[in-house]
Amino acid sequence: PKLYRNEDAACSKANEMINVAKTKQNREEQEKLLASALKLCKEVAPQINLAGICRQLVACHYYGGIVELVVECAAKCDPKDIALHYYTTTQPGDDTLGYQAYALRLDCYKEVKTVLDHLRHKSNTASYSIPTRPGSPPPQPPPSASPLDDTTKVEDVVRQCMESTDQLLHMEVYDWLVLHRLYGDLITVAKPSLELYLKRATASPTRCDAAEFADLLWKYHERHGNHSAAAQILYSLAKTPGENLTLEQRITYLAKAVLCMRSDQVGCAPHLGVFLHELEDYLEVANVQKKVLDAMGSSLSMHRQADDAIKRLNSCLLTITELYENFAEPYNLWECKLAIIDVSGHDDLDLIQRIWDNIIQDELRKGSSLGPEDKVGVVLAKVKELGTQYLVSSRCFPVAYLMWQLEQLSCLENASRGNVFNTFYSIGITFPQTVDIYKKMYIMNDRCWASHGNEFYLIEVIASLAETLINNPKLVKSSEKQTVAVSLQELITSCLTTVYSRPNTSELDTRLNNAFTQLSKL
């Protein structure tokens, strides 16, 4: 038998060509020799020293030739594509032929990964030399390639790999990109094989980084226009229980899912519309859960179980009922209760009013060391804060009830008379609405003002309300000004009737009469 085969002769000839190519200064001549050497190697593949040939081609910067040779060798090692079937069927242990074919292919692909490692290392390494003697450094020869050139070559090698039809080579390149955390480069690849790769990694029960691959998968779908698929993955990520994600991350996933579904490219299919509404509902409830979590965080010192509650709030998305029954109710989270009622659509005015009473009491406790004016200011600031969160027409923001309660508080503390209605005006309650509310307050003829220390308190507030309009007529639209002025005059007339029957009220009487006269001039 022959000891020197045709394959050996071809490899020897190819080696000679490569060595000659190394001596050529003209790149065109070098390329011709390298192309001829590559052709010889491909003809006798895989019966070649692939690693040795690739090392020589690297020395000649012939990276494209390496990819071609690797693809050729892999195809000839596994002409029936048994390895791909083995890979896509999750690598069954009893498939010996599949395993062998897969191993042979991987042995070929590692040369491409070696080239990528080489180029990446070059792009990350700055060359420098230490001077051997004092003085100006000797002139340095120009580098053969800049780091930017090497980065571009990495991209070129990746692109050439993607242009091949070898899906398993794609998978190995994806692995390399993930290993080096080049996620941006990864998701730009518009290949079906990338979706297969990411889905496989996401579904793998043995991978501890499966969530990271799911994160990449939705980005891949979004980048390539499949917004509904991206939204489904984001939704699944947000719903996955466990301590690997915080609640804030879950909310971010839901918000991104909603944005994906609102994309113009999603379409108007009925089932997609239903899914969008579901996502919006989940996001709304998750934001309430965030309020509960924040409230629990500030309650750590007051509740021993708060730490466990915080862990649970972070570890999964809860229903609105769970949030109310397991957190808001037992921990007296009044603002959270209000948010839960608002989201759930529960219509219980008595409950809402009780919640507001407790919110006000909580704020009073916080400001217990303050003076009367500041104490009322703290409560009004909280009302304003919550008022900006809810629509002024919302059932969770009972304007008339709150103004009534806050005026009583202001009376008790003998605070400035215009604070309450000015606060509500800043929230969005119109001046005509305010006048109507104070009319109803006065008609109630409640004796609470006397018990709070000033039986004329409400009348003084009404006088202040009238003076506010007189000093700033633009608070009311021109078309409504006359109606509002007349309404205030009627209210002032009723107030004057009360004032006339009481002693020592001349100053208030004069103030009301002046306001009445000025309103006539509006």
Side-chain angles (χ1 to χ4, degrees):
K2 290 183 179 180
L3 296 177
Y4 193 67
R5 301 172 302 170
N6 291 335
E7 290 89 343
D8 297 325
C11 288
S12 179
K13 181 66 175 173
N15 275 317
E16 287 177 19
M17 289 179 172
I18 293 170
N19 286 327
V20 172
K22 290 177 184 177
T23 65
K24 297 292 182 182
Q25 297 297 316
N26 185 295
R27 185 62 185 171
E28 189 176 339
E29 291 179 16
Q30 190 183 55
E31 290 273 358
K32 281 184 180 178
L33 284 166
L34 292 171
S36 298
L38 175 64
K39 184 180 178 184
L40 277 174
C41 290
K42 287 168 73 174
E43 286 173 358
V44 295
Q47 306 301 324
I48 58 171
N49 179 3
L50 181 60
I53 295 289
C54 287
R55 277 196 298 273
Q56 293 200 67
L57 293 177
V58 166
C60 297
H61 309 296
Y62 196 48
Y63 307 115
I66 294 171
V67 175
E68 282 188 48
L69 186 56
V70 165
V71 170
E72 186 74 18
C73 285
K76 288 185 176 178
C77 284
D78 176 30
K80 295 183 179 179
D81 271 341
I82 297 171
L84 182 61
H85 179 266
Y86 174 76
Y87 178 87
T88 53
T89 53
T90 63
Q91 304 176 8
D94 57 347
D95 186 357
T96 307
L97 284 176
Y99 172 77
Q100 289 173 347
Y102 185 58
L104 286 171
R105 278 186 174 268
L106 291 187
D107 201 46
C108 297
Y109 301 145
K110 73 180 181 183
E111 300 306 325
V112 170
K113 294 168 86 170
T114 300
V115 169
L116 289 169
D117 285 335
H118 166 75
L119 290 171
R120 181 166 171 79
H121 177 72
K122 282 179 67 182
S123 69
N124 291 337
T125 306
S127 61
Y128 63 92
S129 60
I130 300 172
T132 56
R133 58 180 181 272
S136 301
Q140 297 292 321
S144 59
S146 69
L148 184 60
D149 291 335
D150 290 320
T151 301
T152 304
K153 286 171 184 172
V154 169
E155 294 169 358
D156 289 342
V157 171
V158 170
R159 183 169 57 252
Q160 189 174 352
C161 291
M162 293 301 107
E163 286 171 356
S164 81
T165 57
D166 189 337
Q167 289 193 54
L168 287 178
L169 173 59
H170 296 177
M171 304 302 173
E172 289 302 294
V173 173
Y174 300 150
D175 266 341
W176 185 86
L177 290 169
V178 168
L179 177 66
H180 294 281
R181 307 189 75 80
L182 299 173
Y183 300 135
D185 295 325
L186 180 69
I187 61 172
T188 56
V189 176
K191 289 284 182 181
S193 59
L194 178 56
E195 184 178 358
L196 171 65
Y197 171 80
L198 293 173
K199 280 184 175 178
R200 192 170 181 274
T202 301
S204 173
T206 59
R207 298 198 74 134
C208 59
D209 55 355
E212 286 185 38
F213 283 95
D215 201 44
L216 290 170
L217 183 57
W218 81 258
K219 289 175 183 175
Y220 164 81
H221 282 307
E222 184 191 38
R223 184 178 182 87
H224 299 292
N226 194 354
H227 297 284
S228 60
Q232 290 280 359
I233 294 165
L234 285 162
Y235 168 68
S236 178
L237 282 169
K239 290 271 288 178
T240 303
E243 296 182 6
N244 293 330
L245 290 176
T246 64
L247 177 58
E248 200 159 339
Q249 288 171 308
R250 296 175 193 279
I251 290 172
T252 300
Y253 281 139
L254 287 173
K256 286 178 178 176
V258 169
L259 286 175
C260 285
M261 290 303 295
R262 286 178 179 168
S263 167
D264 291 337
Q265 299 174 41
V266 167
C268 301
H271 71 281
L272 294 179
V274 171
F275 181 49
L276 172 59
H277 287 309
E278 286 179 3
L279 285 174
E280 288 170 337
D281 288 343
Y282 270 111
L283 180 58
E284 196 172 22
V285 174
N287 281 319
V288 173
Q289 186 169 331
K290 181 67 168 61
K291 287 180 187 287
V292 174
L293 177 61
D294 292 341
M296 290 302 302
S298 61
S299 302
L300 272 172
S301 59
M302 293 184 284
H303 300 290
R304 292 180 182 177
Q305 301 88 355
D307 195 38
D308 292 335
I310 287 171
K311 284 181 182 176
R312 190 180 173 208
L313 287 163
N314 266 315
S315 65
C316 61
L317 294 176
L318 301 169
T319 66
I320 205 75
T321 303
E322 288 173 320
L323 290 172
Y324 192 90
E325 292 180 352
N326 300 335
F327 300 93
E329 180 65 29
Y331 293 102
N332 290 327
L333 306 177
W334 303 108
E335 291 180 41
C336 295
K337 285 186 181 184
L338 199 62
I340 289 169
I341 289 171
D342 184 56
V343 167
S344 66
H346 186 63
D347 195 2
D348 185 338
L349 184 58
D350 289 339
L351 175 60
I352 291 168
Q353 289 178 353
R354 283 199 304 276
I355 290 171
W356 272 108
D357 290 344
N358 281 284
I359 290 172
I360 291 170
Q361 289 305 314
D362 277 353
E363 293 305 308
L364 284 173
R365 278 191 288 272
K366 291 176 188 175
S368 58
S369 61
L370 300 174
E373 201 74 39
D374 291 335
K375 191 185 294 184
V376 174
V378 166
V379 176
L380 289 174
K382 173 56 68 176
V383 171
K384 184 175 180 179
E385 177 194 327
L386 294 174
T388 55
Q389 293 178 25
Y390 302 102
L391 293 173
V392 292
S393 58
S394 167
R395 62 190 173 281
C396 287
F397 195 70
V399 175
Y401 178 78
L402 288 172
M403 292 180 87
W404 169 256
Q405 292 295 95
L406 292 168
E407 287 293 10
Q408 288 187 68
L409 171 63
S410 184
C411 181
L412 273 168
E413 299 294 339
N414 195 26
S416 299
R417 303 302 187 256
N419 284 350
V420 174
F421 65 74
N422 280 324
T423 297
F424 279 82
Y425 181 77
S426 69
I427 294 171
I429 305 301
T430 66
F431 202 86
Q433 286 175 311
T434 304
V435 172
D436 287 342
I437 289 169
Y438 279 94
K439 253 189 166 183
K440 289 172 184 174
M441 276 193 210
Y442 185 80
I443 291 168
M444 286 170 65
N445 195 24
D446 199 294
R447 297 185 180 275
C448 66
W449 311 111
S451 64
H452 292 334
N454 183 355
E455 65 173 312
F456 299 116
Y457 174 83
L458 184 58
I459 295 175
E460 290 170 5
V461 172
I462 291 168
S464 180
L465 183 65
E467 289 162 355
T468 299
L469 179 60
I470 291 164
N471 294 328
N472 191 2
K474 291 183 179 178
L475 290 172
V476 179
K477 295 177 185 176
S478 300
S479 58
E480 297 177 335
K481 198 172 293 180
Q482 191 64 37
T483 304
V484 173
V486 169
S487 184
L488 269 172
Q489 284 178 318
E490 290 172 355
L491 183 53
I492 288 172
T493 301
S494 299
C495 292
L496 283 168
T497 303
T498 303
V499 170
Y500 287 151
S501 63
R502 300 289 194 279
N504 304 318
T505 56
S506 57
E507 187 177 335
L508 183 56
D509 175 72
T510 302
R511 188 179 171 192
L512 288 168
N513 276 300
N514 286 340
F516 187 95
T517 304
Q518 292 295 322
L519 286 168
S520 302
K521 298 176 182 178
L522 290 179

